[in-house]
Amino acid sequence: MSEQIERVKCLIIGSGPAGYTAAIYAARADMKPLLYTGMEPGGQLTTTTEVDNFPGYPEGIDGPAMMVDLQKQAERFGTEVRIGMVTEVNFASEKGGIHTAIVDGKTKIEAHTVIISTGATAKYLGLPSEQRLRGGGVSACAVCDGFFYRGQDVAIVGAGDTAAEEATYLANICSKVTMLVRKGEMRASKAMQHRVAQTENIEVLFNSEVDKVLGDQVVEGLRIVNNQTKEKHEIAITGLFIAIGHKPNTDIFKGQLDMDDAGYLITKAGSTYTNMPGVFASGDVQDKIYRQAITAAGTGCMAALDAERYLAEVGIVEEVIGGSY
């Protein structure tokens, strides 16, 4: 481990819309934030080819380019952005205590406040053909990318409420939605199953799995296998949506921060406060419902404001009042 120990007012862990928005607000409040990007700088949006639903980009924008813009804006106000992975944390339980983080197993950072924006990772099937076509028709977010397939035939993999909800969403804009359910029944609630069954352009294939995603540069079809009969057949589609869940990136916080059964961080209602004083959570790491770039950015703003007020309470900085943002 490095002998040098740095102390900062605000440490931000994660670099998606939540992390960079938190950095913009924290930097403008003179908190001099230090942000570590993690292993996937820019977060999930770096795997999205086109972002059309984030305010301020009337012509849409490439996901990675948008993250570069957010980083530049954060750096413009004084955020220090570093490539690195926080591998260990030790949060102080007393108000005003100093939190510590180890980066890449060697560098120690001490912080008065910590904003966690580590996000969540979408679960994929793991097929080579699926991974090759991510961004070329394979997506883990129907709400984000469904618009690009208006009037086309698509497929969705999943059996829970999220899959059912996204299937009905896609059915409103696509010609046909083929829903692949691995077992003989859906896990979704009865209400959601009924909604799927009542939607004429959704076809549900039970005991069915993706054998291969077809296409060279973009998705052109699927080879589907019935896991009971082992029979295979192909369908023509242009978009494949994976809705089998997300895994929040919270492993290093286990045992210190309160989480739900799925591993999402629990924050106090109407705030980004965790159960540890001076530690805040924003973005998909604490949001399993909306999971949008704009909602992540909103909670990033909230986390920076909460951190600033916390620092004022413990006497580290003066609170910024009014229209200074």
Side-chain angles (χ1 to χ4, degrees):
M1 186 181 299
S2 172
E3 295 182 0
Q4 184 177 2
I5 299 175
E6 296 181 66
R7 179 170 293 191
V8 297
K9 291 180 182 177
C10 180
L11 171 65
I12 300 173
I13 307 175
S15 57
Y20 281 136
T21 303
I24 291 167
Y25 274 78
R28 286 174 60 85
D30 199 30
M31 293 165 63
K32 299 178 175 60
L34 170 62
L35 181 150
Y36 276 98
T37 62
M39 294 299 291
E40 189 178 37
Q44 292 186 68
L45 277 188
T46 58
T47 65
T48 301
T49 55
E50 189 90 14
V51 179
D52 253 2
N53 55 4
F54 197 93
Y57 295 98
E59 303 302 323
I61 186 171
D62 181 73
M66 178 181 163
M67 290 299 96
V68 170
D69 284 349
L70 289 183
Q71 179 177 339
K72 288 179 179 178
Q73 188 173 1
E75 290 176 327
R76 173 188 163 206
F77 296 115
T79 300
E80 183 176 355
V81 177
R82 296 181 186 173
I83 304 296
M85 182 79 173
V86 174
T87 52
E88 182 183 339
V89 292
N90 184 17
F91 297 132
S93 58
E94 69 278 5
K95 190 170 184 177
I98 301 298
H99 310 292
T100 61
I102 306 300
V103 182
D104 295 327
K106 57 183 180 180
T107 303
K108 185 175 183 180
I109 305 294
E110 295 183 343
H112 292 282
T113 60
V114 177
I115 296 176
I116 299 169
S117 305
T118 50
T121 302
K123 296 179 181 178
Y124 285 88
L125 303 174
L127 298 172
S129 57
E130 169 206 43
Q131 296 302 306
R132 179 172 54 81
L133 290 170
R134 282 176 59 180
V138 175
S139 169
C141 183
V143 176
C144 308
D145 300 327
F147 176 83
F148 302 113
Y149 303 92
R150 181 178 295 274
Q152 303 174 42
D153 291 354
V154 300
I156 185 167
V157 178
D161 279 349
T162 297
E165 183 176 348
E166 293 199 344
T168 54
Y169 170 82
L170 289 168
N172 288 326
I173 56 179
C174 297
S175 295
K176 181 181 178 181
V177 179
T178 301
M179 191 171 187
L180 305 183
V181 176
R182 185 167 56 90
K183 296 185 178 181
E185 60 182 8
M186 295 177 63
R187 293 184 293 102
S189 64
K190 294 298 182 182
M192 291 304 300
Q193 291 188 48
H194 180 71
R195 187 186 301 181
V196 168
Q198 294 297 110
T199 305
E200 292 184 358
N201 61 335
I202 297 179
E203 180 184 8
V204 182
L205 302 180
F206 293 102
N207 299 311
S208 297
E209 300 180 42
V210 177
D211 184 61
K212 185 177 181 180
V213 185
L214 306 176
D216 293 326
Q217 302 299 320
V218 296
V219 172
E220 298 175 0
L222 281 185
R223 187 165 70 208
I224 300 169
V225 59
N226 183 299
N227 55 32
Q228 299 295 308
T229 65
K230 306 306 179 182
E231 293 181 359
K232 297 179 182 180
H233 72 281
E234 295 181 2
I235 61 172
I237 60 166
T238 54
L240 173 63
F241 296 89
I242 310 299
I244 57 176
H246 289 72
K247 181 184 183 303
N249 301 318
T250 56
D251 287 349
I252 65 170
F253 309 120
K254 289 180 178 178
Q256 298 190 66
L257 298 182
D258 290 344
M259 306 178 185
D260 66 11
D261 292 340
Y264 287 88
L265 297 182
I266 296 173
T267 52
K268 297 179 182 178
S271 78
T272 61
Y273 280 79
T274 68
N275 60 297
M276 287 291 186
V279 180
F280 309 90
S282 63
D284 288 9
V285 76
Q286 52 85 56
D287 172 22
K288 60 182 178 181
I289 299 175
Y290 300 104
R291 296 197 301 266
Q292 298 298 300
I294 190 63
T295 52
T299 56
C301 164
M302 291 168 59
L305 296 178
D306 286 342
E308 180 195 347
R309 290 165 182 155
Y310 170 83
L311 288 174
E313 289 176 9
V314 297
I316 304 301
V317 294
E318 293 183 3
E319 186 172 12
V320 176
I321 303 296
S324 300
Y325 297 100

